[in-house]
Every structure is written in C-alpha cells, then in structure tokens.
C-alpha cells in the first residue's frame, strides 16, 4: 500500500502540516478590540474580596447595585 500510494501519503502529510502551521499563526496574531484573559490577575487576587455573601429573604431575590 505504501509503495503504490507514497506520493499521496506525502502530499496529505504536507497539507496537514501546513494547516497546523496556519492554525497556530491565526491564533497568535494580535487583534484590536478583543479581550484577553489575564491569568496573572486571576491568580493574584485576594480571595476575601472575590466573594460577597448576602442574606436573602425567602422568595425576595437579590438586588445588585452597580
């Protein structure tokens, strides 16, 4: 099988390699207006200020003031 179709296997390998490189290049390009995740600020935040507990009456809900 490899003797008869070696050219097709090599061409499909090259196509797959080029598509992987293209996907990597599209991922790493810089785009304006796109939010990025900042893992450093997520890891270094204070756990005490990240959660706010509120006492809620039954069937009343929570009013969030922004």
């Amino acid at each position: 099988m490899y003797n008869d179709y070696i050219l097709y296997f090599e061409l499909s390998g090259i196509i797959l390699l080029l598509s992987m490189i293209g996907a990597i290049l599209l991922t790493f390009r810089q785009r304006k207006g796109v939010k990025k995740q900042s893992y450093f600020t997520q890891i270094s935040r204070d756990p005490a200020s990240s959660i706010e507990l509120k006492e809620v009456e039954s069937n009343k809900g929570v009013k969030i003031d922004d």
Side-chain angles (χ1 to χ4, degrees):
M1 182 170 159
Y2 288 111
N3 292 335
D4 296 334
Y5 300 106
I6 188 69
L7 181 64
Y8 297 118
F9 281 111
E10 288 180 358
L11 286 175
S12 63
I14 290 172
I15 290 171
L16 288 173
L17 176 66
L18 291 176
S19 63
M20 285 186 348
I21 291 172
I24 292 170
L25 289 177
L26 287 174
T27 304
F28 283 130
R29 70 178 180 169
Q30 299 294 327
R31 294 177 294 236
K32 294 182 180 179
V34 176
K35 292 183 180 180
K36 286 191 168 186
Q37 182 178 7
S38 176
Y39 63 90
F40 183 74
T41 56
Q42 291 176 347
I43 293 172
S44 63
R45 70 180 181 175
D46 183 27
S49 66
S50 62
I51 298 175
E52 181 180 349
L53 298 177
K54 294 191 173 198
E55 293 292 326
V56 181
E57 295 180 28
S58 181
N59 294 325
K60 294 289 184 177
V62 178
K63 183 178 179 183
I64 300 174
D65 297 22
D66 288 315

